[in-house]
Each structure stands twice: as C-alpha cells, then as structure tokens.
Amino acid sequence: MSSRSGAVHVATTTRKYKGRIYQSHLLRRTFRVGDQVKHETLGNISHLPPSLIDIIRRSLAGETFLPATKTFHVLRSLPHGHVEAVLGTVRSLELEPLFSSKPCRERDLVLAMLVERLLDPASKLATTRLWHNSTLAEELSVQDANEDELYQASLDWLLARQAQIEKKLAARHLHEGSEVLYDISSSYYEGRCCSLVRYGHNRDGKRDRPIIVYGVLTDTEGHPFSVEVYPGNTGDATTVPGQVKKLRERFGLSRVVLVGDRRMLTEKQIAQLKQHPELGWISALKAGAIRQLVEAGALQLSLFDQQNLVEIHTALYPDERLVACFNPLLAEERKRKREELLQATEKELEAIRQQVARRKKKILRKEEIALKVGRVVNHFKMAKHFELTIEDGKFHAQRREEQIREEGLLDGVYVIRTSESKEKLSAPDTVRHYKNLANVERAFRCWKGMDIRVRPIYLRTEEHVRAHIFLCLLAYYVEWHMRAALAPLLFAEEDLAQYRQQRDPVTTAEPSATVQTKKQRKQTEEGFPVQSFPTLLQALATRCRNTCQVQATKETPTFEQVTQATPLQAKAFELLGL
C-alpha cells in the first residue's frame, strides 16, 4: 500500500439499529487526491475504555501528557482575585476609553496606579514594587515600569486629560436640573516644596503641618465627578464661584441645584447665586441667624411641641424657603458637649487663678495673665460663656449663666434654606437633600482612611499634587460602584437611597432592620460572613494564579492554573457582574 502523509485523528461514528445506538471509534488519516478529500482508516479502537480513547484523541490533537509519577511543582503563586474584581469593575465602568480612546502605555500605567490605590495604596516607588506581588503588573503589562515613568509620563498625562475626563463623568451622572453636592476638605503635607502648601484650617488635626485644600463635586447619590485643588490657606466660600463657573461653562449645565453647607454657601455667595435665577441652591443658617429669627418672632420654639419640622416665611429672607427642624437627640448631645467643655475650661482657668494667687512677691502682670487665659479659652472655644476679670496680680472667671441658658434653648434646632419652590421640592425632601452632603463626607473618609490613603502627601510639584488628588477621586469612583454592588456582603445598606426616602428626615439616622440583623448575626441570609470592604478584598486576594510545572527542569513546559473560587468569592464576582 502506498504511503500517504497527513495528520491522524480519531473519528467517531454513531448509528442507530433496532432501537439501539452503536458507536465506532476509528483511527483515520485524511488526505487529498486532486480536488477530492479521502479518508484512510488505520485501525479500530472501539474496544478500548472511553477514558483511554479520550486521551488518544487529545494527544493526536496536540495536547502533551506527562507521567503521573513525576513530581508536581508550583513555581509561583500570585494573588489574583482582588485584581480580577477591581480591574473587572474598571472595565465594566468603561473607564479605559474614558481616559483614552486608543490603548497606550500611559493609559495602562494610570489604570495600574488606580487599581493599586485600592489594593494597597502607597507611594509611587512602593507602587512599582507592590504590583509585582499580585497579578496586576502582568494583567496590564507594566512589569518594567519605574517610579520616574509614573511621575514624568503617567501623572502629567492624566492631569492633561482631567478636564476632558471630568466632562465625560459629569455627562454620565448629571442632566439639566440635577442636584450637585459640593464640599471642601484638606490633607496635610510633608515638606515645603509644593507651591500649594500653606498653613490653614487643618481638618486632620495636625496643626504643625501645612496643608492643601481640595473641593469635590458629586451627584446626589455620591458619584464623584470633579475635584479642584487649592492652596492650603483658601477659604471654603471663596471656592464656590469657580465651581459654579465650571458647572455652567465646562459641563454646559444652565440649570443645577447646588447643595453646600453653611460655611460654603455664605450670604455673600448666595447673593451671587441669586444673580443667576436658573441656578438653585440648598444650604443652612448659622447659629446667629437662627437666633435673629427667634428674636424677630419669625421662629417660635413652641412650634416644635407637636412636630419636628416646620416651614416658615419671613421678610428677613425674601424669595427663600426656610425649613426649621428640631432633633431632641441632637439637643441632648450639644448640651452634654457644652457642659464638658465648660467644665474643662473652668478647670484650666482655676489652675491659672491659683497660680496668680500664689505669686505674692513678683506678681503676674495683666498682660501675662491674659496670654495664659487666652490660650485656654481659645482652645476650648468657650470665651463667650465666661466673664473674665484680669488685673495685675488678680484673676477671676465665672460663667455667664443667662447667656448659656439662652444658647441652650436653640440646642437641636437647625434651619435649612433653599431657593427651590414647594412644587419642585417639599419641605421634608429639602432636609433630605441637604443631608445628602453626608455622601461627600463619606468620600473624604474613604480618601483619608486605609481605603485610598490620600495622605500624607510628599509630591514636590503642584502638577503632581493635582494629578495625585485626581487619581484618588477616580479610585473612589470605582470603590463607590464596588461598594454599591457588594452591599449584600458588607455592613452597609443594600438600598440606601430608598431607605433615606422612607425614614424621618429630621431624627437621627438609624440603620435599617436589614443592617441591624447583619450586625447582630454577622452573617448574610445566605450564610456568608459579613465583611468590611477591605476584608472582602483580602478574601478575594486568596484566589491565586499559580504557575505550575510537573518536573523542575528547564525543558519541561509550565502552565498557569487559577485556584477555584470559594463560595464567598463566587458570590462577590456574581454581584460585580464578572
């Protein structure tokens, strides 16, 4: 028989005869004669066990099988599940084309920094080390990147695209008439090189450190879409005009409702907003303004005997709606805190009085006593509640009881003010929308906590600081969506927006029955342990990508195997839609 060339394969034929099915497994070679395809049967292996037939079929198809007696080695095991979850969420949110329509090295580096910011936030140098401890560097092909490339290429590249990216994010979450939440925070800085660094109102409690200030815009649910960085001595209210201009010009919104706290939307800023009737706003009155309402008779505290929310109208605030609220729990808390501060102040002032009284020969002069007293009353912010008598060698302090009593009458009372009409926004919804500022505060907590770790900041140039803050905003944007999707596994409300609409807008917020049950049982309804966001990422990280080899020789090929997902990991991936 003439020899013919061609690959050998296993051909399986099936036929049915008298109700029974017969299968044949034949070794065949296929070859071509002219335009015709011919088959040559080389043998019949139907008598072999099915498992052996499968091995022959796969071997002829090109698979390599190694002896079972050889030693199995795991050459490397890299955490993969948390990378899979975060990077998968980034791609499901379509952030890659948001950064750049075409793949490029800078985009991959920015994505790698963004993901690592959620996995293990650190300096840029540490980042280039840490992403080798997971599969992140391999997933985005950035194994050879160094810190200089992150500074010089990626951060500069990202900052140049910030306006474009923010515009695309705003288009996703805003429309004409949307409510926009705005708030300011700050982070301390290590060093003196950056031109943005100033001493100012340090919200981190580190008064010996200079700071930078940044303002964040979010939609009413808390999706962040824009951030602006300011010098550390910038006042909160002075940032508002620039944000309004950004909303109108960069994002092309003629009708928005800006929500800001009483420090942000001051009388001066509201007067400027009133020059644009299409711009709405929601804010709150300061304590002094509330006292003026009471003294003018516009706000009668007896109104709160039967209800905790009342809408009032007064000529003091024309073309505005005022919604006055009373929270008894807040009143008790303010009373308790005031008394503690008063007692602490009295203790320090008494120590000064005794020190002055002991000095008989060289008495303390009036100026020296005043300096000591000033440090105490300014520290506790209680100067207004004490009558101070300071003379050479004499000092006396006593409480202003009547003033303290009058201030106590307003404990638990706050007033929300808005330009929006009743038809657009009811009184309870006005309070709810003002309290949505908690969504921005939640973003700041995640930034400053272990999730994203925005601080301390060591970057030397203004451009790199701005890019770092913007990168943190993008990281929180991803975390927001992950937290929302993974809520059934977390100590979190699974439908927070709906729950907020149902509960009393004035009383102190209490967790829903679902959250209370999760906190008590520490388990979900499906029996999974309830997690925090960081511990859930750590649980996902135990899903590894293993590089394996049957025997430890250079000639033996390696292969990769991902560990099977645990039930908790499978549930998390299901919730994330991965």
Side-chain angles (χ1 to χ4, degrees), residues 133-266:
N133 297 336
S134 68
T135 59
L136 178 59
E138 294 179 358
E139 288 290 313
L140 293 171
S141 302
V142 295
Q143 299 96 318
D144 59 337
N146 56 43
E147 69 277 12
D148 291 334
E149 192 174 5
L150 297 189
Y151 286 120
Q152 297 172 4
S154 304
L155 288 180
D156 295 338
W157 182 88
L158 178 63
L159 184 63
R161 284 158 175 76
Q162 179 176 352
Q164 177 184 354
I165 295 170
E166 289 183 347
K167 184 176 180 180
K168 292 178 180 178
L169 288 176
R172 285 186 179 185
H173 301 290
L174 299 182
H175 54 80
E176 290 293 340
S178 290
E179 291 181 10
V180 177
L181 310 179
Y182 178 58
D183 205 355
I184 284 282
S185 190
S186 64
S187 290
Y188 64 91
Y189 183 90
E190 296 289 353
R192 301 184 301 274
C193 296
C194 181
S195 58
L196 293 169
V197 174
R198 300 284 192 279
Y199 283 95
H201 176 40
N202 195 319
R203 295 164 175 84
D204 297 336
K206 292 183 177 291
R207 297 185 178 181
D208 59 333
R209 297 287 193 277
I211 62 171
I212 62 161
V213 170
Y214 43 84
V216 173
L217 291 169
T218 78
D219 70 356
T220 187
E221 294 181 359
H223 296 100
F225 59 86
S226 180
V227 64
E228 196 75 33
V229 181
Y230 304 96
N233 59 354
T234 303
D236 294 0
T238 61
T239 67
V240 174
Q243 297 296 335
V244 172
K245 182 178 180 181
K246 181 192 298 184
L247 290 169
R248 290 168 56 85
E249 296 181 4
R250 186 191 300 179
F251 302 148
L253 297 170
S254 59
R255 167 64 182 161
V256 293
V257 179
L258 185 63
V259 184
D261 62 24
R262 65 199 75 189
R263 296 176 297 105
M264 201 77 58
L265 298 185
T266 60

Side-chain angles (χ1 to χ4, degrees), residues 218-340:
T218 78
D219 70 356
T220 187
E221 294 181 359
H223 296 100
F225 59 86
S226 180
V227 64
E228 196 75 33
V229 181
Y230 304 96
N233 59 354
T234 303
D236 294 0
T238 61
T239 67
V240 174
Q243 297 296 335
V244 172
K245 182 178 180 181
K246 181 192 298 184
L247 290 169
R248 290 168 56 85
E249 296 181 4
R250 186 191 300 179
F251 302 148
L253 297 170
S254 59
R255 167 64 182 161
V256 293
V257 179
L258 185 63
V259 184
D261 62 24
R262 65 199 75 189
R263 296 176 297 105
M264 201 77 58
L265 298 185
T266 60
E267 291 293 340
K268 180 180 178 180
Q269 300 305 329
I270 289 177
Q272 293 181 359
L273 290 175
K274 286 181 177 180
Q275 297 176 9
H276 305 281
E278 69 278 7
L279 292 178
W281 46 267
I282 302 175
S283 187
L285 292 180
K286 294 183 178 180
I290 297 176
R291 188 170 294 108
Q292 286 181 349
L293 288 177
V294 174
E295 292 172 353
L299 174 59
Q300 300 177 11
L301 299 181
S302 60
L303 293 172
F304 296 124
D305 292 343
Q306 302 296 328
Q307 54 189 338
N308 61 9
L309 181 150
V310 60
E311 185 168 344
I312 59 178
H313 302 274
T314 173
L316 295 174
Y317 297 92
D319 303 322
E320 292 186 28
R321 292 172 58 218
L322 301 181
V323 182
C325 308
F326 174 69
N327 185 340
L329 295 180
L330 179 62
E332 288 296 324
E333 175 62 22
R334 287 183 176 175
K335 179 180 179 181
R336 180 196 63 78
K337 185 175 181 180
R338 184 191 302 108
E339 183 60 29
E340 287 182 356

Side-chain angles (χ1 to χ4, degrees), residues 411-551:
D411 285 348
V413 177
Y414 56 94
V415 179
I416 310 300
R417 60 191 302 196
T418 181
S419 63
E420 298 299 281
S421 63
K422 278 186 178 181
E423 293 73 22
K424 294 179 180 178
L425 205 61
S426 66
D429 283 342
T430 300
V431 179
R432 290 190 180 98
H433 290 193
Y434 178 77
K435 288 189 173 183
N436 279 339
L437 284 171
N439 289 329
V440 193
E441 295 169 0
R442 173 188 172 189
F444 292 146
R445 286 196 299 272
C446 291
W447 282 31
K448 297 181 179 184
M450 299 304 292
D451 294 9
I452 296 176
R453 207 181 304 168
V454 67
R455 61 187 183 186
I457 301 172
Y458 295 92
L459 297 160
R460 291 176 172 267
T461 68
E462 176 180 330
E463 291 75 17
H464 288 168
V465 169
R466 292 183 186 278
H468 168 70
I469 297 297
F470 183 49
L471 184 70
C472 290
L473 176 127
L474 295 172
Y476 178 70
Y477 183 83
V478 176
E479 180 179 336
W480 190 98
H481 285 87
M482 292 187 70
R483 283 180 176 272
L486 296 170
L489 296 176
L490 304 176
F491 290 100
E493 298 285 357
E494 297 179 24
D495 197 350
L496 183 58
Q498 181 179 353
Y499 179 58
R500 281 176 172 166
Q501 285 296 117
Q502 296 173 350
R503 68 190 181 195
D504 190 314
V506 177
T507 57
T508 304
E510 295 290 341
S512 67
T514 302
V515 172
Q516 291 181 12
T517 301
K518 284 198 291 187
K519 289 182 177 180
Q520 291 172 358
R521 296 176 54 193
K522 305 295 190 297
Q523 282 189 337
T524 67
E525 293 181 356
E526 296 177 330
F528 295 112
V530 184
Q531 307 278 342
S532 67
F533 184 72
T535 61
L536 183 54
L537 284 183
Q538 292 173 6
L540 294 176
T542 61
R543 174 174 159 88
C544 296
R545 179 188 289 167
N546 306 296
T547 303
C548 306
Q549 193 177 44
V550 174
Q551 54 185 357

Side-chain angles (χ1 to χ4, degrees), residues 106-143:
E106 291 82 4
R107 189 180 81 171
D108 292 339
L109 288 171
V110 168
L111 285 175
M113 286 192 293
L114 188 156
V115 174
E116 190 64 40
R117 181 58 50 179
L118 289 176
L119 301 183
D120 196 356
S123 68
K124 302 301 177 286
L125 174 61
T127 295
T128 61
R129 308 289 191 267
L130 290 170
W131 64 29
H132 290 280
N133 297 336
S134 68
T135 59
L136 178 59
E138 294 179 358
E139 288 290 313
L140 293 171
S141 302
V142 295
Q143 299 96 318

Side-chain angles (χ1 to χ4, degrees), residues 4 30-39:
R4 298 182 176 91
T30 301
F31 59 95
R32 182 179 294 275
V33 178
D35 294 335
Q36 295 183 340
V37 177
K38 301 290 186 178
H39 302 284

